[in-house]
Amino acid sequence: MIKVFIAGGTGWAGAALCKGVFNHPNMQLVGALSRTHKGEDLAQILQIDSEPIPIYENIEIALDKVDFDILVEYTKPNSTKNNILKATEKGKNVIVGTSGLTDADYADIEKAANRFNTSILAVGNFALTVVLLQKFSEMAAKYIPNFEIIDYTHEDKIDAPSGTARELAYRLSKVQKPNKYVTEDELMGDQASRGANLNDVQVHSVRLPGHVISIETIFGLKDEKLLIRHDSGASAEPYVKGGLLAIEKVGTFKGLKRGLDSIMEF
């Protein structure tokens, strides 16, 4: 049995993954992290037929009290990095579902994974359609050197761009840097209107009611364009299958891997 601890286990995506882990024949849900529900019983909150599952306030207490194999990190950007590093120091494998981490953060995380000989799988989005969007966008970027990214989410998402958009920009920049027809020095008006420059890729973040999570890569050539887009609904179900797959595969390598497709076969 794989013993799984989920930081952010009472949140929208974390709660759905908790139920998925609980129902999986080869996994055991042993605890969760939640400041708002510290000291409560996760089984009661999720309404699952289980022995009490403890909820802790912080990762330090959880590491001292609970025996687990894998930490799934689904909290907030301001606590994510600390949770990952603390778990890594204790020899735990980690799956990162939280968005908001930078390339510099991942450089530090990779160093820790290598130092403590653990496995860290960073997944900006667990949905299969996002994995395909990433792969198709990488294919297109080989042939079309003009592209930008737009990410859309609900109005109260506190990190921008999203982890999905950050990961996509990182991956596309590894294929090739997009053309820049007007430099920042030449641009007239408000430079912020062009969005953020991540790894030399322009990324625009829309935060409005009515959106859940969407991501779009826009490619352009003279007299033609290509749009590759993912849209998610209100349910967290699309992220459960990918999360369970990540839990199954995170122990098959050492160090840091980024993207769910890095442990999938295509």
Side-chain angles (χ1 to χ4, degrees):
M1 297 290 284
I2 304 172
K3 296 180 179 179
V4 182
F5 185 95
I6 300 183
T10 60
W12 176 68
L17 183 57
C18 280
K19 292 180 180 179
V21 170
F22 176 74
N23 291 317
H24 195 284
N26 299 321
M27 299 178 189
Q28 181 182 1
L29 182 62
V30 296
L33 207 65
S34 172
R35 292 181 179 177
T36 56
H37 294 281
K38 62 179 180 180
E40 298 182 40
D41 178 11
L42 182 63
Q44 288 187 354
I45 293 174
L46 300 181
Q47 298 182 336
I48 56 179
D49 185 15
S50 168
E51 295 293 321
I53 302 173
I55 300 177
Y56 297 92
E57 179 180 8
N58 60 61
I59 193 63
E60 290 83 1
I61 295 175
L63 287 166
D64 184 58
K65 298 287 187 180
V66 186
D67 175 32
F68 61 90
D69 304 308
I70 297 172
L71 167 69
V72 180
E73 167 52 47
Y74 247 144
T75 59
K76 302 288 185 183
N78 59 355
S79 60
T80 296
K81 186 175 179 180
N82 176 69
N83 293 344
I84 296 169
L85 294 178
K86 292 294 184 182
T88 302
E89 290 173 6
K90 295 294 185 179
K92 310 298 183 183
N93 292 335
V94 182
I95 296 165
V96 187
T98 310
S99 60
L101 293 176
T102 65
D103 289 339
D105 290 327
Y106 278 120
D108 293 338
I109 289 168
E110 184 171 21
K111 289 178 182 177
N114 292 334
R115 178 183 176 187
F116 295 101
N117 196 34
T118 61
S119 308
I120 299 177
L121 177 61
V123 181
N125 195 308
F126 288 101
L128 177 60
T129 49
V130 170
V131 175
L132 293 174
L133 175 142
Q134 291 171 337
K135 298 297 283 187
F136 296 157
S137 295
E138 287 175 316
M139 292 169 61
K142 293 180 180 179
Y143 300 97
I144 307 176
N146 312 298
F147 50 85
E148 298 190 9
I149 297 169
I150 305 177
D151 88 286
Y152 310 78
T153 69
H154 44 86
E155 71 280 12
D156 56 351
K157 185 173 179 61
I158 62 175
D159 59 301
S162 67
T164 306
R166 287 181 180 275
E167 182 65 25
L168 182 57
Y170 171 80
R171 294 167 66 120
L172 293 184
S173 72
K174 296 297 182 182
V175 178
Q176 68 170 313
K177 307 292 186 182
N179 289 328
K180 184 173 290 188
Y181 293 94
V182 179
T183 67
E184 293 180 359
D185 293 335
E186 296 171 327
L187 187 66
M188 299 178 64
D190 191 342
Q191 291 187 0
S193 65
R194 290 291 295 120
N197 185 301
L198 297 181
N199 303 105
D200 292 323
V201 180
Q202 293 300 129
V203 181
H204 312 265
S205 295
V206 177
R207 299 291 181 266
L208 287 172
H211 293 276
V212 181
I213 297 174
S214 300
I215 185 81
E216 184 175 47
T217 315
I218 303 174
F219 296 88
L221 289 172
K222 186 178 180 180
D223 294 328
E224 57 182 326
K225 63 183 178 181
L226 171 67
L227 280 69
I228 305 176
R229 179 175 172 128
H230 154 84
D231 292 288
S232 66
S235 167
E237 184 61 29
Y239 312 110
V240 174
K241 290 182 180 179
L244 295 177
L245 177 62
I247 292 170
E248 290 177 332
K249 298 292 187 178
V250 70
T252 61
F253 64 91
K254 294 296 181 183
L256 171 69
K257 286 193 174 185
R258 294 176 63 167
L260 187 63
D261 63 297
S262 66
I263 50 90
M264 296 174 66
E265 294 183 0
F266 283 91

